[in-house]
Amino acid sequence: MVCVPCLLLLLLPLLRVSAATPEPCELDEEDFRCVCNFTEPEPDWSSAIQCMVAVEVEIRGGGRSLEQFLKSADADSKQYADTIKALRWRRLTLGAAQVPALLLVALLRALGYSRLKELTLEDLEVTGPMPPPPPEAAGPALSTLSLCNVSWATGGAWLGELQQWLKPGLRVLNIAHAHSLAFACSQLPTFQALTSLDLSDNPGLGESGLIAALCPHKFPALQGLALRNAGMETLSSVCAALAAASVQPHRLDLSHNSLRATAPGATSCVWPSALSSLNLSFAGLEQVPKGLPPKLSVLDLSCNKLSRAPRPDDLPEVNNLTLDGNPFLDPGSLKHQEDLKRSGMVPVCARSALTIGVSGALALLQGAGAVA
């Protein structure tokens, strides 16, 4: 029997052909996506072998500990290098398991021979300390790394330790429901190529946590920063955090935060000069907030609680202004937003052509005509 690549051995025991038990893995007819969910008390791990031909692979461990597979971490992945390189894997999701750090590192080391571009870790508990990094990064050359509800035994040092196992070139980093975003900045290498950072769905982050997460001078190429549902409260505090981190995002998403007006007398802040797009939708705004950047290409104020059309002096110079879903345009929109919020559904704002792709002044004239 041909030995399965170390890539799978790291998280799965030695595969055994077992046609008598139901298979927990499903491969679609195009051999493109393969999903495994090992929830049975005695899972048939051998079912995962069919995923070796897929492009997108998702493996979930049923919440169990994988410590029993630590012996696989000692395998020499070089002997499987050619086989791993032949895999079609481009996107891999691993979730629902307790993974020793040594096992995770062994997986990354094996994936270093693959052509994997996107790695997602979900609902994982990484136990034990991370081993010292190799002289040269031995992991995969990822373009996108996504983490959701992943806990680490190493506290705020986890991102720096994880990054040292990845080859340079990461462009997109998504971190949601994190247990710690207070990074050890002195130990964090610079993300030279990172253009998109998404810290959404971390409601406990807040502005103080944002300052701790945005380590100064560690994100020199950052263009897009998403902070949806991240506990942001005032624009002035967010602006101060960006200034402290010396980041220059072109796009900033602050939607789905309960934003309040900046307190009178608060210290004014100079927004990043590169900022051209600001999303303030679903922010509970009853009026256009003060202290907006003086000039924007895109400003999204949709699905707020604006009861009147903003006056020109309320707004910055803006090319594309979106005001859909506010009570002054749609009196029933506020009740609709509240009903969705109570139901727990993620609200979606209906878009119209009213304020898309027009100047701020024209949008206001059209809005005024709509409620006349």
Side-chain angles (χ1 to χ4, degrees):
M1 180 177 180
V2 178
C3 186
V4 177
C6 178
L7 175 57
L8 289 178
L9 289 176
L10 294 172
L11 287 183
L12 311 177
L14 291 174
L15 301 181
R16 304 177 307 277
V17 177
S18 178
T21 57
E23 292 189 351
C25 299
E26 294 185 1
L27 178 66
D28 64 20
E29 293 182 357
E30 291 76 25
D31 292 346
F32 185 83
R33 179 171 173 77
C34 185
V35 178
C36 299
N37 194 1
F38 296 104
T39 57
E40 297 296 324
E42 297 292 334
D44 177 18
W45 300 103
S46 66
S47 178
I49 198 169
Q50 62 187 297
C51 293
M52 292 179 65
V53 301
V55 175
E56 293 185 358
V57 177
E58 180 176 327
I59 299 177
R60 299 189 179 275
R64 57 175 47 81
S65 172
L66 302 181
E67 187 173 357
Q68 58 182 309
F69 307 137
L70 266 176
K71 59 184 179 181
S72 301
D74 296 329
D76 182 8
S77 55
K78 287 185 179 180
Q79 62 182 310
Y80 304 113
D82 291 339
T83 305
I84 296 174
K85 288 177 184 177
L87 293 175
R88 300 170 63 212
W89 291 13
R90 296 296 183 273
R91 288 175 287 277
L92 173 63
T93 297
L94 301 174
Q98 300 172 32
V99 184
L102 290 174
L103 193 60
L104 177 62
V105 164
L107 171 65
L108 294 175
R109 190 166 55 237
L111 288 172
Y113 296 104
S114 75
R115 294 175 290 169
L116 190 73
K117 291 301 179 184
E118 299 180 17
L119 175 63
T120 299
L121 305 179
E122 295 181 348
D123 301 320
L124 291 183
E125 179 184 354
V126 182
T127 59
M130 296 283 282
E136 295 184 1
L142 299 176
S143 62
T144 301
L145 175 63
S146 301
L147 303 100
C148 180
N149 190 30
V150 180
S151 64
W152 305 80
T154 52
W158 69 265
L159 182 58
E161 294 176 345
L162 178 62
Q163 185 199 14
Q164 294 179 69
W165 285 92
L166 303 177
K167 291 185 177 72
L170 185 69
R171 296 195 298 271
V172 178
L173 177 61
N174 308 314
I175 308 174
H177 300 289
H179 293 240
S180 175
L181 287 171
F183 301 131
C185 293
S186 61
Q187 303 173 28
L188 189 66
T190 301
F191 287 82
Q192 295 286 359
L194 194 75
T195 59
S196 177
L197 177 62
D198 192 337
L199 300 179
S200 301
D201 294 319
N202 289 291
L205 182 63
E207 288 94 343
S208 59
L210 180 61
I211 293 175
L214 291 179
C215 295
H217 309 293
K218 299 297 185 180
F219 308 98
L222 190 65
Q223 296 181 15
L225 177 61
L227 298 169
R228 298 180 299 275
N229 184 32
M232 302 297 118
E233 295 183 351
T234 66
L235 290 178
S236 59
S237 297
V238 174
C239 176
L242 299 182
S246 299
V247 294
Q248 289 281 333
H250 298 189
R251 302 175 301 279
L252 178 61
D253 188 347
L254 295 175
S255 62
H256 298 275
N257 287 287
S258 297
L259 296 176
R260 54 184 173 82
T262 301
T267 304
S268 60
C269 178
V270 178
W271 288 92
S273 59
L275 185 62
S276 62
S277 177
L278 181 60
N279 189 341
L280 299 178
S281 63
F282 292 102
L285 296 171
E286 298 181 354
Q287 60 185 15
V288 178
K290 303 295 184 183
L292 291 172
K295 185 176 181 180
L296 290 168
S297 295
V298 177
L299 175 61
D300 191 341
L301 290 170
S302 61
C303 298
N304 278 292
K305 301 179 180 180
L306 304 181
S307 58
R308 64 169 178 82
R311 294 187 294 265
D313 57 356
D314 292 334
L315 296 165
E317 181 182 345
V318 58
N319 296 329
N320 293 280
L321 174 67
T322 307
L323 294 168
D324 305 68
N326 280 286
F328 81 93
L329 288 175
D330 179 7
S333 63
L334 187 58
K335 182 179 184 302
H336 180 62
Q337 292 178 41
E338 294 298 329
D339 289 345
L340 287 175
K341 186 175 181 180
R342 283 193 295 269
S343 71
M345 296 176 61
V346 176
V348 176
C349 188
R351 300 293 185 190
S352 73
L354 181 64
T355 57
I356 298 294
V358 295
S359 70
L362 181 56
L364 294 178
L365 290 175
Q366 290 176 321
V371 297

